[in-house]
């Protein structure tokens, strides 16, 4: 593995680990601030942080008009739809379910990379997709009770699909921009899209107790660490590796999310949940071990 791929692997691993912890933070704060408003606040904080990064590193902007459509799609599909459904799903289920079901993202990325980028879809990739799908189905079966839980699981599956599509679309953006610029533009698109919904429920924003350490620190983590740093690292890692391989590093997300859900929130780990997780992790191992 050359130095660029090593750096890409490191950045993708760090981003996925950060997002694993994010599920626990979301589960804590989403009881006070609903998902759409929470994502909006998260992006507001992230944009301030990202623009400071751009000033500090003297980023020069050269906009390529032919990338406008892709940037808008990345913002709507990945930063808006995926994150809102992810936080909604975590709210309606639990941190473990959120971390594990969205870890099916790598297999969806393989399909989208084949469809949109022409990356070869071989037997190894098909087997890994099948294993991850069975793992998700097993988890769904284990938690197959209660209307809200079912809606949460559906939301999380949508989150995994849309994040996978967004990650592949990032590969289609021209080399005109660095990862910081892509993150700023896509986050701004999502922020604008969510603003009309938030303005109609401003009472939710104004009555939140931001001085409560649980709320304030959670928002700072989600905005600065999980969004600003996490998104930049993920987008940079995507630029350094092919789409199918990039998705494999989502493995760190369910591991961190499950462990923190157990340690911090006291969520139980059932055998069915463990089996589903092992199936998803096994799909990643098959992709790494037998890929040509």
């Amino acid at each position: 593995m050359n130095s660029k791929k090593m750096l890409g692997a490191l950045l993708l691993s760090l981003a996925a680990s950060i997002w694993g912890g994010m599920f626990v933070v979301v589960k804590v704060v989403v009881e006070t601030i609903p998902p759409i408003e929470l994502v909006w606040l998260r992006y507001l904080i992230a944009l301030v942080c990202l623009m400071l990064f751009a000033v500090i590193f003297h980023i020069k902007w050269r906009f390529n008009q032919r990338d406008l459509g892709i940037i808008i799609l990345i913002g709507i599909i990945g930063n808006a739809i995926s994150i809102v459904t992810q936080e909604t799903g975590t709210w309606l289920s639990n941190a473990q379910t959120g971390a594990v079901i969205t870890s099916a993202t790598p297999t969806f990325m393989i399909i989208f990379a084949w469809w949109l980028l022409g990356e070869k879809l071989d037997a190894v990739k098909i087997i890994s997709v099948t294993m991850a799908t069975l793992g998700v189905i097993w988890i769904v079966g284990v938690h197959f009770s209660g209307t809200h839980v079912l809606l949460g699981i559906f939301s999380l599956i949508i989150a995994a699909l849309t994040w996978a599509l967004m990650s592949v679309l990032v590969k289609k953006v021209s080399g005109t921009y660095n990862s910081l610029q892509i993150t700023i533009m896509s986050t701004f698109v999502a922020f604008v899209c969510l603003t009309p919904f938030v303005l109609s429920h401003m009472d939710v924003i104004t009555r939140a107790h931001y001085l409560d350490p649980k709320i304030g620190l959670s928002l700072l983590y989600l905005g600065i660490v999980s969004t600003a740093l996490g998104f930049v690292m993920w987008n940079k890692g995507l630029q350094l590796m092919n789409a199918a391989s990039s998705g494999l590093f989502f493995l760190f997300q369910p591991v961190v999310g499950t462990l923190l859900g157990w340690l911090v929130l006291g969520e139980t780990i059932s055998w069915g949940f463990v089996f589903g997780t092992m199936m998803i992790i096994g799909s990643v191992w098959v992709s790494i071990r037998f890929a040509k």
Side-chain angles (χ1 to χ4, degrees):
M1 183 180 290
N2 60 40
S3 58
K4 285 187 176 181
K5 288 186 177 180
M6 288 181 66
L7 177 60
L10 176 62
L11 292 173
L12 293 168
S13 301
L14 288 173
S17 297
I18 287 171
W19 294 334
M22 174 194 67
F23 286 95
V24 175
V25 177
V26 167
K27 188 62 178 176
V28 170
V29 75
V30 79
E31 301 295 338
T32 304
I33 305 174
I36 293 180
E37 289 80 3
L38 179 57
V39 175
W40 187 85
L41 287 170
R42 171 181 172 180
Y43 286 165
L44 178 61
I45 295 169
L47 283 170
V48 173
C49 185
L50 290 167
M51 293 308 296
L52 285 175
F53 287 166
V55 171
I56 292 171
F57 294 107
H58 305 287
I59 298 299
K60 295 180 179 180
W61 291 86
R62 295 189 304 274
F63 186 73
N64 191 334
Q65 192 170 358
R66 68 187 178 90
D67 292 323
L68 179 61
I70 298 178
I71 293 293
I72 291 175
L73 282 175
I74 290 171
I76 294 174
I77 294 171
N79 297 57
I81 296 174
S82 183
I83 301 301
V84 169
T85 53
Q86 172 187 285
E87 297 193 357
T88 300
T90 303
W91 177 34
L92 296 174
S93 56
N94 56 50
Q96 291 178 9
T97 305
V100 174
I101 290 183
T102 53
S103 73
T105 296
T107 57
F108 296 136
M109 284 180 67
I110 291 173
I111 295 173
F112 287 129
W114 163 71
W115 177 34
L116 297 174
L117 303 179
E119 293 186 8
K120 187 176 179 181
L121 184 62
D122 54 25
V124 172
K125 292 177 180 178
I126 293 173
I127 291 171
S128 67
V129 168
T130 303
M131 290 178 65
T133 302
L134 290 174
V136 172
I137 291 173
W138 187 266
I139 293 169
V140 171
V142 171
H143 296 276
F144 204 78
S145 61
T147 304
H148 294 306
V149 174
L150 289 176
L151 181 58
I153 290 169
F154 176 75
S155 295
L156 291 167
I157 292 172
I158 295 298
L161 278 166
T162 49
W163 189 260
L165 177 56
M166 181 279 294
S167 297
V168 173
L169 287 174
V170 168
K171 300 287 291 183
K172 292 182 71 65
V173 177
S174 70
T176 307
Y177 323 100
N178 58 36
S179 58
L180 178 58
Q181 291 170 317
I182 293 173
T183 305
I184 290 173
M185 291 187 290
S186 59
T187 303
F188 179 75
V189 168
F191 181 78
V192 170
C193 290
L194 295 173
T195 296
F197 298 97
V198 174
L199 290 178
S200 63
H201 298 87
M202 278 302 293
D203 58 314
V204 175
I205 301 294
T206 55
R207 69 168 181 255
H209 301 289
Y210 299 107
L211 295 181
D212 180 347
K214 181 180 72 174
I215 303 298
L217 293 176
S218 294
L219 287 174
L220 289 176
Y221 178 87
L222 292 173
I224 298 173
V225 181
S226 181
T227 304
L229 292 177
F231 282 17
V232 169
M233 288 191 291
W234 183 258
N235 288 335
K236 181 62 177 179
L238 290 172
Q239 291 178 326
L240 296 174
M241 303 187 70
N242 66 59
S245 298
S246 299
L248 301 178
F249 293 91
F250 245 75
L251 166 66
F252 291 92
Q253 179 173 294
V255 173
V256 174
T258 299
L259 289 176
L260 289 179
W262 171 58
L263 290 171
V264 178
L265 302 179
E267 296 178 353
T268 59
I269 302 178
S270 67
W271 284 110
F273 194 93
V274 171
F275 182 78
T277 303
M278 290 176 62
M279 288 290 287
I280 293 173
I281 293 174
S283 73
V284 177
W285 178 81
V286 168
S287 297
I288 296 173
R289 176 65 179 81
F290 298 104
K292 294 181 181 178

